[in-house]
Amino acid sequence: EAGVVQSPRYKIIEKKQPVAFWCNPISGHNTLYWYRQNLGQGPELLIRYENEEAVDDSQLPKDRFSAERLKGVDSTLKIQPAELGDSAVYLCASSLGLRGARDGELFFGEGSRLTVL
Amino acid sequence: AQSVTQLDSHVSVSEGTPVLLRCNYSSSYSPSLFWYVQHPNKGLQLLLKYTSAATLVKGINGFEAEFKKSETSFHLTKPSAHMSDAAEYFCVVSGANFGNEKLTFGTGTRLTIIP
């Protein structure tokens, strides 16, 4: 069974440029998460989707970040414009449902490493 | 509110010796606790979990952890380290908050295995 797929794996951009990350969750997983992992830190939740609905986006910087999950499957995370402080690894994860979060059964992709110059 | 504190940012052990990675938690609710492992340039993988069943939980690759409510701890152990155990380990807590559950990660412990 295929795991969570993310692209691109690496992205280098100049500040003020836009960038987008794509995530394809495990088939049948209706909960999707975007996390940001700064260097030397643990992942921090940006947004969580239940199917196509964003049910927790309290940590998403809405002035420059946006996300969507059309048809409740694939998701994209966009940053426009990027700032130097956005350099991090952006992780996508999926689980079977809300219950999955309490059980800790999240399945992570390999991440997209963003460098903003 | 919930949080976890990983007491060591870096642990080094010799191959074949025991591993101990320490984690303390704080939660307003009855918590679920997990350990995740992250190998270089790989996604995070669930190692083991505690969800109010047995306090001693066994995970993959010979790891286990014991939930101690009186000490608010959830330390990760392994009797004999292997070179392949070198990775970053994250202690994670999940607690109910009016149905909006989410995971809170610690800052990680980097485990180095000395040949």
Side-chain angles (χ1 to χ4, degrees):
Chain A
E1 178 182 302
V4 176
V5 179
Q6 292 187 244
S7 69
R9 289 292 313 279
Y10 304 92
K11 188 74 175 179
I12 301 174
I13 61 173
E14 294 186 346
K15 63 181 181 181
K16 301 185 181 179
Q17 294 299 305
V19 64
F21 305 111
W22 174 81
C23 173
N24 180 239
I26 292 174
S27 178
H29 283 192
N30 53 21
T31 304
L32 184 146
Y33 312 75
W34 282 102
Y35 282 84
R36 177 169 59 188
Q37 185 176 17
N38 292 311
L39 186 65
Q41 300 295 316
E44 295 178 324
L45 181 69
L46 290 174
I47 189 169
R48 173 169 63 89
Y49 283 92
E50 294 290 338
N51 298 306
E52 64 273 9
E53 181 183 1
V55 296
D56 184 356
D57 63 355
S58 57
Q59 300 302 312
L60 189 72
K62 298 181 182 63
D63 57 336
R64 298 183 300 106
F65 286 65
S66 64
E68 62 181 8
R69 191 184 185 196
L70 299 176
K71 301 181 181 179
V73 182
D74 294 2
S75 177
T76 57
L77 176 70
K78 298 179 181 178
I79 308 174
Q80 182 171 11
E83 297 179 351
L84 295 177
D86 296 332
S87 295
V89 177
Y90 292 85
L91 298 167
C92 180
S94 70
S95 69
L96 283 172
L98 180 60
R99 179 70 184 172
R102 183 149 179 87
D103 290 345
E105 294 282 9
L106 268 62
F107 296 83
F108 284 83
E110 295 182 334
S112 295
R113 182 179 296 275
L114 173 66
T115 302
V116 182
L117 303 176
Chain B
Q2 58 194 37
S3 65
V4 289
T5 301
Q6 293 186 243
L7 301 173
D8 306 292
S9 59
H10 192 191
V11 170
S12 294
V13 301
S14 296
E15 188 176 18
T17 64
V19 175
L20 170 63
L21 305 183
R22 299 182 295 167
C23 172
N24 287 348
Y25 71 90
S26 173
S27 177
S28 302
Y29 305 90
S30 180
S32 293
L33 293 156
F34 319 92
W35 278 96
Y36 274 81
V37 60
Q38 186 177 34
H39 288 92
N41 297 315
K42 297 294 184 183
L44 288 108
Q45 180 184 17
L46 181 64
L47 204 56
L48 51 78
K49 61 183 178 181
Y50 165 77
T51 55
S52 74
T55 56
L56 181 63
V57 294
K58 296 185 182 298
I60 61 173
N61 301 331
F63 284 93
E64 62 182 36
E66 185 172 8
F67 173 72
K68 292 186 176 181
K69 186 175 181 179
S70 60
E71 299 177 9
T72 62
S73 69
F74 191 59
H75 301 334
L76 181 70
T77 60
K78 182 174 181 178
S80 177
H82 190 272
M83 293 300 295
S84 61
D85 295 328
E88 189 90 16
Y89 292 80
F90 292 94
C91 183
V92 185
V93 62
S94 174
N97 182 17
F98 300 104
N100 187 19
E101 300 166 326
K102 65 181 180 182
L103 303 182
T104 300
F105 285 74
T107 53
T109 298
R110 180 169 299 277
L111 178 62
T112 299
I113 310 299
I114 303 168

